């Protein structure tokens, strides 16, 4: 039976949701307050090459392959050299920055140690107990910092691994195996991630009703929509709207993240690689850097090299400092090269990304209860986005399937 579905928010979450609802044969209306769709996902085509505004790729699965076939978009697969990944630890680049003993302990923690979360411990403290200080500092800290846009002390393990059983009944290996799906690696598209947005919009436009420049003045208007309601707006936009519905003891924290794409004549590392992740207190203010022109073909013009550096909300102490000047100091520390960039493009997202901490965990429990309460009243209203079931595009795509 065809269902009337209202999707509030035309970012990538809303577009994924609209695609799945069309495939189910439902009648879809999508509402977006801006004049454009796609949210933070987009690509600028500059004279030097492509500049991604947010994500630089998506993890390919069979379901995503099927979507790409439907919307007529071919993926660009990474170069073989991009399999090389570095950690910056103890002032040097390393592909495996822990000792054999620490590696043995890591394997024990993954395969044999019982997985148990402690709500009183942040990820850094929990990681020290679960894996040991060396693994936590030299592998987990840089890896998760680059993904979640902050340091481990600001993260909560049960928020990040919300799908895992952390009651002491299972192991990390069992949870990974239970939730694992076949993947084909991270892919992009000929004109960058903006291609994904434009092809989705082209596919959806003749099949659904799209209302851009449309906003709801309060949450009651959303509740009164006739049919199923999928709320796909960012957490930053959601919180003010929800104020009329619930009073939170503590609201989720929002992060400010800057991505800075640098074009230049020389490479960051001697050998091509995917990028570099930076450990805590290693003299680098960036969380990580992606070596774009080493990862995908077609990212640069005229034999230039492209890197995207990811920065948290930096408090600049020197009045003459900028993120761009900090980037050059960070880069010199890694490469020992003083060459000036050909061009630099910065994008700053203020409060768009959620902090995966204890506040977010409690907030999602509140949303779960709201959804249950509405369901008991015969209302089908649900929340979707990077603050719900995972931060990556693949996680968002899969959460909107059901």
């Amino acid at each position: 039976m065809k269902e009337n579905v209202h999707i509030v928010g035309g970012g990538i979450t809303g577009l994924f949701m609209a695609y799945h609802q069309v495939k189910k044969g439902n009648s879809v209306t999508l509402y977006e307050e801006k004049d454009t769709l796609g949210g933070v996902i987009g690509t600028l085509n500059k004279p030097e090459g492509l500049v991604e505004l947010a994500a630089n790729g998506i993890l390919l699965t069979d379901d995503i392959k099927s979507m790409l076939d439907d919307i007529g978009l071919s993926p660009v697969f990474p170069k073989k050299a991009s399999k090389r990944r570095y950690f910056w630890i103890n002032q040097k680049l390393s592909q495996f920055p822990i000792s054999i003993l620490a590696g043995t302990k890591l394997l024990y923690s993954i395969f044999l140690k019982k997985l148990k979360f402690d709500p009183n411990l942040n990820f850094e403290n929990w990681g020290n107990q679960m894996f040991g200080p060396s693994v936590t500092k030299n592998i987990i800290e840089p890896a998760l910092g680059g993904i979640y846009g902050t340091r481990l002390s600001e993260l909560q393990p049960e928020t990040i691994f919300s799908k895992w059983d952390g009651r002491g009944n299972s192991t990390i290996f069992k949870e990974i195996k239970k939730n694992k799906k076949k993947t084909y690696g991270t892919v992009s598209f000929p004109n960058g991630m903006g291609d994904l947005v434009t092809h989705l919009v082209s596919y959806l436009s003749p099949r659904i009703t799209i209302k851009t420049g449309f906003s709801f003045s309060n949450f009651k208007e959303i509740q009164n929509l006739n049919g199923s309601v999928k709320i796909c707006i960012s957490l930053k936009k959601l919180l003010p709207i929800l104020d009329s519905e619930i009073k939170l003891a503590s609201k989720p924290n929002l992060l400010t993240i800057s991505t800075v794409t640098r074009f230049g004549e020389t490479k960051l590392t001697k050998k091509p690689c995917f990028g570099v992740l930076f450990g805590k207190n290693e003299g680098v203010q960036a969380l990580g850097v992606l070596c774009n022109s080493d990862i995908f073909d077609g990212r640069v013009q005229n034999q230039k090299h492209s890197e995207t550096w990811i920065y948290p909300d930096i408090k600049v102490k020197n009045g003459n400092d900028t993120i761009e000047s900090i980037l050059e100091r960070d880069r010199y520390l890694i490469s020992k090269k003083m060459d000036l960039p050909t061009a630099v493009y910065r994008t700053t997202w203020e409060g768009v990304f959620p902090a995966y901490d204890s506040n977010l965990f409690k907030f999602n429990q509140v949303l779960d209860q709201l959804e249950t309460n509405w369901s008991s009243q015969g209302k089908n209203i649900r929340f979707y986005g990077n603050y719900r079931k995972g931060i990556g595009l693949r996680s968002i795509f899969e959460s909107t399937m059901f």
Side-chain angles (χ1 to χ4, degrees):
M1 181 178 176
K2 181 182 279 191
E3 184 180 9
N4 289 325
V5 177
H6 301 275
I7 300 172
V8 182
I12 194 65
T13 305
L15 294 178
F16 282 160
M17 176 63 73
Y19 167 79
H20 292 308
Q21 295 302 320
V22 165
K23 295 295 288 183
K24 292 175 182 178
N26 290 327
S27 175
V28 178
T29 303
L30 184 147
Y31 308 86
E32 168 56 44
E33 67 175 10
K34 293 182 179 179
D35 294 328
T36 57
L37 302 172
V40 301
I41 304 299
T43 309
L44 302 178
N45 199 331
K46 295 294 184 179
E48 300 80 13
L50 302 182
V51 176
E52 297 291 4
L53 298 180
N56 81 320
I58 184 170
L59 192 60
L60 190 64
T61 63
D62 286 325
D63 290 323
I64 292 174
K65 266 186 174 183
S66 179
M67 176 196 68
L68 296 179
D69 288 341
D70 285 340
I71 66 177
L73 181 58
S74 298
V76 173
F77 288 87
K79 304 176 185 178
K80 288 184 179 180
S82 69
K83 291 181 179 179
R84 187 181 295 110
R85 299 168 189 238
Y86 288 114
F87 294 84
W88 178 254
I89 301 294
N90 298 324
Q91 301 295 297
K92 63 181 181 181
L93 293 171
S94 175
Q95 290 183 260
F96 192 71
I98 56 175
S99 67
I100 294 175
L101 178 60
T104 303
K105 289 181 178 179
L106 174 60
L107 292 176
Y108 168 78
S109 298
I110 292 173
F111 288 97
L112 298 173
K113 196 170 185 178
K114 293 300 182 181
L115 175 64
K116 191 170 184 178
F117 299 137
D118 185 338
N120 298 312
L121 296 179
N122 62 35
F123 206 119
E124 184 174 28
N125 295 330
W126 175 81
N128 287 335
Q129 288 187 9
M130 185 72 188
F131 307 103
S134 177
V135 170
T136 301
K137 177 182 181 294
N138 296 336
I139 292 183
I140 299 174
E141 173 84 53
L144 291 188
I147 294 171
Y148 290 92
T150 190
R151 291 302 182 188
L152 289 190
S153 58
E154 305 300 320
L155 300 175
Q156 202 75 11
E158 61 264 44
T159 309
I160 292 174
F161 304 124
S162 59
K163 296 178 182 179
W164 289 8
D165 180 359
R167 297 171 296 175
N169 302 322
S170 185
T171 64
I172 292 176
F173 175 72
K174 288 180 180 178
E175 292 304 306
I176 291 174
K177 190 176 180 180
K178 182 176 69 178
N179 292 282
K180 188 176 181 180
K181 286 188 177 182
K182 186 178 181 180
T183 63
Y184 303 91
T186 299
V187 299
S188 184
F189 307 101
N191 295 301
M193 294 300 290
D195 262 355
L196 179 60
V197 173
T198 55
H199 280 71
L200 273 169
V201 172
S202 295
Y203 174 85
L204 293 170
S205 292
R207 295 172 171 86
I208 69 173
T209 300
I210 299 175
K211 296 185 178 182
T212 55
F214 186 101
S215 60
F216 293 91
S217 58
N218 56 64
F219 200 77
K220 292 297 182 186
E221 289 184 1
I222 296 175
Q223 286 181 277
N224 290 332
L225 290 170
N226 182 24
S228 175
V229 180
K230 314 291 185 182
I231 300 174
C232 300
I233 57 179
S234 70
L235 183 57
K236 182 180 180 179
K237 293 178 181 177
L238 176 63
L239 289 174
I241 295 176
L242 269 185
D243 267 347
S244 60
E245 190 70 22
I246 55 174
K247 298 300 178 185
L248 296 170
S250 56
K251 292 184 180 180
N253 296 306
L254 299 171
L255 302 175
T256 293
I257 296 175
S258 294
T259 61
V260 188
T261 298
R262 180 194 193 274
F263 294 92
E265 300 290 342
T266 61
K267 291 189 176 185
L268 176 66
T269 57
K270 291 180 181 179
K271 295 181 179 180
C273 67
F274 190 90
V276 183
L277 294 168
F278 303 113
K280 187 178 181 180
N281 300 324
E282 290 288 343
V284 176
Q285 295 196 52
L287 296 168
V289 55
L290 298 168
C291 297
N292 304 314
S293 46
D294 286 348
I295 303 172
F296 297 114
D297 285 321
R299 305 300 102 168
V300 292
Q301 300 291 334
N302 303 321
Q303 304 300 311
K304 295 288 190 298
H305 299 285
S306 168
E307 305 153 8
T308 295
W309 295 70
I310 303 163
Y311 284 91
D313 189 13
I314 295 176
K315 306 300 180 186
V316 178
K317 297 178 182 179
N318 186 336
N320 296 321
D321 251 347
T322 62
I323 290 181
E324 290 81 359
S325 63
I326 292 170
L327 183 158
E328 293 306 315
R329 289 201 297 272
D330 286 349
R331 192 177 193 276
Y332 176 74
L333 192 64
I334 309 303
S335 67
K336 300 298 186 287
K337 298 171 185 175
M338 288 292 291
D339 61 310
L340 294 175
T342 305
V344 178
Y345 300 96
R346 188 215 310 183
T347 303
T348 297
W349 299 105
E350 295 186 7
V352 170
F353 301 96
Y356 274 64
D357 56 14
S358 58
N359 282 0
L360 186 64
F361 184 77
K362 294 172 185 174
F363 178 71
N364 274 304
Q365 289 179 320
V366 172
L367 296 188
D368 290 341
Q369 189 59 53
L370 275 176
E371 291 179 349
T372 300
N373 293 344
W374 286 324
S375 180
S376 66
Q377 300 168 19
K379 298 178 181 179
N380 186 359
I381 304 174
R382 294 192 174 276
F383 300 93
Y384 299 86
N386 61 5
Y387 56 93
R388 286 296 270 164
K389 303 298 182 183
I391 199 169
L393 293 184
R394 175 252 185 120
S395 294
I396 294 173
F397 179 85
E398 291 178 351
S399 71
T400 54
M401 290 176 67
F402 308 106

